[in-house]
Amino acid sequence: MLQRWTSGDQQALDQLAPMIYQELHRMASAYLISERRDHTLQPTALVHELYMTLMETQNVSFANRNLFFAFAGHLMRRILIQHARGKASQKAGGNHTRVLLNSLNDLPQVQPRSADDLLDLDKALNRLGKIDTVKERIMELHLFAGLGVREIAGGLNIPERTISRKMKAARIWLLRSLNLDGTA
């Protein structure tokens, strides 16, 4: 059905939607779990915005399911960034918490906690992309699509060990870029 949809069959997307909805909702929920409870964009709304964007998308094709979900994660990132920019433009000043760090097997995690954090992370990912597009893509797939090392490796056709190594280096770079590595 993915191939039918990417070949221009809009009805295929309508048939595909119920099959992928749960996974897309899981991705949206996983990402938004770190947001405040009264966040105006809830997982269901994010998935619906994504669906509207997918309906307007043309000239794309996916070699496999992982690449579709990677693309969906990329679109979610864009939707969240657009939403955060709208929120940031509505408020003047104010305090914000930069990024919450958690330790997972001694690999720091970057989790945006506010619209400002999301914008900072997006800017940092864009800077990383100018240095190393593969590392940017890996972190985008991990942070916004919720994909793990194995899924990213399969989608990008890169060995898992390489993905792990690049992910670790990208996390360190992001932490330093966001000034969260404990240095002044």
Side-chain angles (χ1 to χ4, degrees):
M1 277 198 227
L2 275 174
Q3 290 175 346
R4 283 185 28 223
W5 167 58
T6 58
S7 297
D9 183 353
Q10 283 300 104
Q11 289 181 338
L13 180 58
D14 293 336
Q15 294 171 345
L16 186 61
M19 293 180 215
I20 61 173
Y21 181 83
Q22 291 300 323
E23 180 65 18
L24 293 174
H25 196 274
R26 184 202 60 78
M27 287 169 53
S29 295
Y31 184 74
L32 290 172
I33 198 148
S34 65
E35 296 287 339
R36 64 189 190 283
R37 287 191 182 273
D38 64 340
H39 192 282
T40 57
L41 193 60
Q42 297 299 317
T44 300
L46 179 56
V47 173
H48 290 179
E49 291 229 10
L50 173 67
Y51 182 74
M52 297 303 290
T53 303
L54 286 172
M55 286 183 7
E56 297 171 0
T57 302
Q58 298 176 1
N59 300 324
V60 294
S61 63
F62 308 104
N64 60 47
R65 182 179 187 274
N66 283 344
L67 289 178
F68 168 76
F69 284 108
F71 180 70
H74 174 76
L75 292 178
M76 281 187 194
R77 173 184 175 192
R78 292 289 151 224
I79 292 166
L80 289 169
I81 296 302
Q82 183 179 19
H83 184 75
R85 284 187 179 135
K87 285 293 188 187
S89 69
Q90 291 176 359
K91 71 176 192 175
N95 298 331
H96 72 276
T97 305
R98 298 260 313 177
V99 173
L100 172 70
L101 297 177
N102 293 323
S103 178
L104 177 63
N105 299 328
D106 296 329
L107 268 176
Q109 297 290 320
V110 180
Q111 290 184 308
R113 304 252 334 168
S114 69
D116 291 330
D117 292 348
L118 185 60
L119 292 173
D120 290 344
L121 179 58
D122 183 58
K123 288 176 187 174
L125 282 171
N126 288 334
R127 286 192 308 270
L128 177 61
K130 291 178 182 175
I131 298 166
D132 188 326
T133 57
V134 174
K135 287 179 184 169
E136 176 197 22
R137 189 75 178 132
I138 289 168
M139 292 309 291
E140 180 181 54
L141 293 172
H142 179 65
L143 294 170
F144 291 92
L147 299 181
V149 171
R150 179 173 286 160
E151 295 164 313
I152 295 169
L156 297 180
N157 200 25
I158 297 174
E160 288 181 35
R161 290 183 67 183
T162 302
I163 295 294
S164 293
R165 189 179 70 251
K166 286 184 176 283
M167 186 182 288
K168 183 176 182 176
R171 283 182 182 161
I172 292 167
W173 189 94
L174 284 171
L175 292 170
R176 287 184 179 151
S177 178
L178 294 168
N179 207 19
L180 298 166
D181 61 353
T183 61

